[in-house]
Amino acid sequence: MHGILSASAGQEQLLTELLVTYAKIPVLIGELISVEIWKHKVFPVLCRLEDFKPRSTFPIYVVLHHEASIINLLETVFFYKEICESAEDSILDLIDYCHRKLTLLAARSTKGQAVELRAQDLASPSSMQELQKQAEAMEFEISLKALSVLRFITDQVESLPLSALTRMLNTHNLPCLLVELVEHCPWSCWEAGKLKKFENGTWHVVPPEDQVKMTKLDGQVWLALLNLLLSPECQRKYHFDGFNKSQLLKLRVFLTDVLIDQLPNLMEMQRFLSHLAVTEPAPPKKDLVLEQIPVIWDHILKKNSGKWEAIAKHQVKHAFSPTEEELKLQARRWAQTYSLDMMEALAPDKPRCRVCGVEAAKRCSRCRNEWYCTRACQVQHWQKHKPACNLMAEVPRSVVDDL
């Protein structure tokens, strides 16, 4: 959190130096994949346990949010070449991670699923069901962050290990996957005759005059395609067979004059596709090399195969079912880590009412954690908010003052 805040304040150079000096990028990538596996293997087991009714779901939410925090930090710092190089062999694991997230995006877009979490959707009788809805919405945003990270990785194709390039082009065929994202654009949708786009963590209606305007996410996809298709080394390694060629040529319909005016580099892409349409590129040269493979994902899965239910039950007993005293101690730690000043500094928009979702100006005077637009909404939400409010109100005054 402090790292993201420092980068947001324009102090990312110091943060970058610290991450490189202390070799923390491989550690962060390992943590990222560990939480991803936990979400897919352990979290569903927790949700199925009928006798698991946690007093507070915040400890579980912190684990879910940990993945979002890490990918957000990586998105901030991977702009720098030295960060990408400091990842060393773990860059292969990060490429695989980004591929999984982009595949998820493409699958959702082809099904026409737009993930939007509304305040009224959270009125669930089960706290675990509420947590599942939050996790689903968070997964969509994490996937968009992974797209930006992948684009920054492709910026450094000339300094990447050969295995990384082979993995992006041939193992995962990322150019064709990126074409899917251009074609279906999962961060935009039509609703009630209006175009909505996802930007800065929220869906908003796009005025007619701005509908052809390129968003940041659109730009990330096109820049990644430019890096992967126009690099001589990539062209030498990529297999332009019949299928790949037909997929790439789909991009020509999207390369309009309006789009090229916004990103002039796409003129080179247009020339490349025109040349590709009338030629048969030579097959890729086969080099005899020893290819590295990612190890983090496979190591964790093999080590814990068949143990996921046991792990979930162990965590229910020892981590997610704290006593009253343990919950108070955790609340003190959370209050210090997730301070209100820090969270509000990171928030791109003004706070929203916890009940109806409109812009809010009033905050709970006891815990100062929840926002409301009117007293009526606060009263309506009180029975649900009361346990957490009482818990936070018991945090020592000295800790609250630090907020």
Side-chain angles (χ1 to χ4, degrees):
M1 278 295 177
H2 285 280
I4 297 170
L5 190 60
S6 298
S8 301
Q11 301 172 357
E12 65 271 17
Q13 190 60 45
L14 175 60
L15 174 63
T16 299
E17 291 175 3
L18 289 172
L19 291 173
V20 172
T21 302
Y22 294 100
K24 289 299 182 182
I25 294 299
V27 176
L28 289 172
I29 294 173
E31 285 281 306
L32 186 70
I33 295 172
S34 296
V35 179
E36 181 193 18
I37 292 175
W38 183 91
K39 284 172 59 177
H40 287 291
K41 298 294 186 178
V42 179
F43 181 58
V45 177
L46 292 177
C47 295
R48 290 196 302 267
L49 295 176
E50 296 181 359
D51 57 342
F52 179 47
K53 293 179 173 51
R55 186 175 306 176
S56 171
T57 57
F58 192 71
I60 305 175
Y61 178 81
V62 169
V63 179
L64 294 170
H65 192 268
H66 189 49
E67 183 184 8
S69 298
I70 295 174
I71 195 66
N72 198 22
L73 178 59
L74 293 180
E75 181 196 27
T76 303
V77 300
F78 252 80
F79 173 80
Y80 296 95
K81 181 179 180 180
E82 55 267 32
I83 288 288
C84 193
E85 293 175 346
S86 72
E88 299 179 340
D89 294 345
S90 64
I91 195 71
L92 298 173
D93 293 277
L94 185 57
I95 289 171
D96 277 19
Y97 173 86
C98 292
H99 172 258
R100 290 191 292 271
K101 298 301 180 183
L102 266 59
T103 301
L104 180 63
L105 271 183
R108 280 181 171 165
S109 63
T110 54
K111 294 177 183 178
Q113 295 178 357
V115 179
E116 182 174 6
L117 190 65
R118 301 179 178 90
Q120 54 267 33
D121 294 335
L122 297 179
S124 168
S126 167
S127 57
M128 291 302 293
Q129 289 176 4
E130 177 178 329
L131 204 58
Q132 284 179 285
K133 291 179 181 178
Q134 291 175 331
E136 183 182 356
M138 200 184 302
E139 185 69 32
F140 178 69
E141 296 191 48
I142 288 171
S143 299
L144 298 180
K145 297 289 184 183
L147 170 60
S148 298
V149 171
L150 179 69
R151 175 250 149 155
F152 291 135
I153 293 174
T154 63
D155 282 346
Q156 313 299 335
V157 288
E158 295 181 357
S159 59
L160 289 175
L162 289 176
S163 297
L165 207 53
T166 301
R167 200 150 193 89
M168 287 194 290
L169 294 174
N170 300 325
T171 305
H172 296 314
N173 199 354
L174 285 180
C176 284
L177 181 55
L178 292 169
V179 170
E180 285 283 318
L181 295 180
V182 170
E183 194 173 10
H184 298 288
C185 198
W187 45 87
S188 69
C189 66
W190 288 90
E191 187 176 289
K194 296 182 179 179
L195 177 64
K196 300 181 73 175
K197 292 190 177 183
F198 190 88
E199 288 185 285
N200 298 322
T202 184
W203 290 91
H204 64 91
V205 177
V206 181
E209 63 271 16
D210 291 337
Q211 290 184 0
V212 294
K213 185 178 179 181
M214 179 186 293
T215 66
K216 177 184 175 183
L217 292 166
D218 295 323
Q220 299 287 35
V221 177
W222 283 109
L223 289 171
L225 281 166
L226 281 168
N227 292 331
L228 290 176
L229 294 179
L230 300 190
S231 163
E233 182 64 20
C234 292
Q235 291 181 5
R236 190 179 73 85
K237 281 185 166 292
Y238 191 57
H239 191 192
F240 291 95
D241 58 16
F243 173 78
N244 291 346
K245 183 176 175 180
S246 65
Q247 290 296 107
L248 295 176
L249 290 179
K250 290 180 180 180
L251 295 172
R252 290 191 296 177
V253 70
F254 298 98
L255 291 171
T256 62
D257 292 340
V258 175
L259 187 68
I260 294 174
D261 284 343
Q262 297 176 73
L263 189 59
N265 289 353
L266 290 178
M267 183 69 73
E268 293 295 322
M269 172 74 76
Q270 195 174 47
R271 294 195 190 101
F272 168 77
L273 293 175
S274 297
H275 180 73
L276 180 66
V278 297
T279 59
E280 290 294 332
K285 183 179 178 181
K286 295 183 178 180
D287 298 323
L288 184 61
V289 295
L290 294 176
E291 184 180 350
Q292 293 174 289
I293 59 173
V295 297
I296 298 175
W297 174 275
D298 288 339
H299 172 72
I300 296 174
L301 288 182
K302 288 178 182 178
K303 183 178 179 180
N304 299 287
S305 178
K307 303 177 184 177
W308 304 115
E309 187 169 349
I311 292 172
K313 291 180 178 179
H314 177 82
Q315 291 180 348
V316 164
K317 183 177 179 180
H318 297 282
F320 299 136
S321 299
T323 64
E324 190 74 28
E325 288 302 315
E326 289 172 337
L327 204 55
K328 290 178 182 178
L329 179 60
Q330 289 179 357
R332 296 187 188 104
R333 292 173 179 169
W334 298 329
Q336 292 172 324
T337 303
Y338 297 93
S339 66
L340 292 178
D341 288 342
M342 180 180 297
M343 301 302 287
E344 289 172 8
L346 291 173
D349 300 313
K350 292 184 179 180
R352 297 279 175 177
C353 178
R354 184 65 173 82
V355 177
C356 64
V358 304
E359 192 173 301
K362 301 179 183 296
R363 177 189 279 178
C364 176
S365 59
R366 293 187 74 219
C367 68
R368 298 185 61 78
N369 281 337
E370 295 286 8
W371 290 85
Y372 304 98
C373 60
T374 62
R375 177 163 177 76
C377 282
Q378 184 177 10
V379 171
Q380 180 183 341
H381 188 246
W382 172 242
Q383 289 303 318
K384 191 172 184 179
H385 173 55
K386 183 178 179 180
C389 187
N390 289 338
L391 179 64
M392 293 303 295
E394 291 177 7
V395 176
R397 194 69 239 169
S398 58
V399 175
V400 178
D401 290 339
D402 291 336
L403 302 181

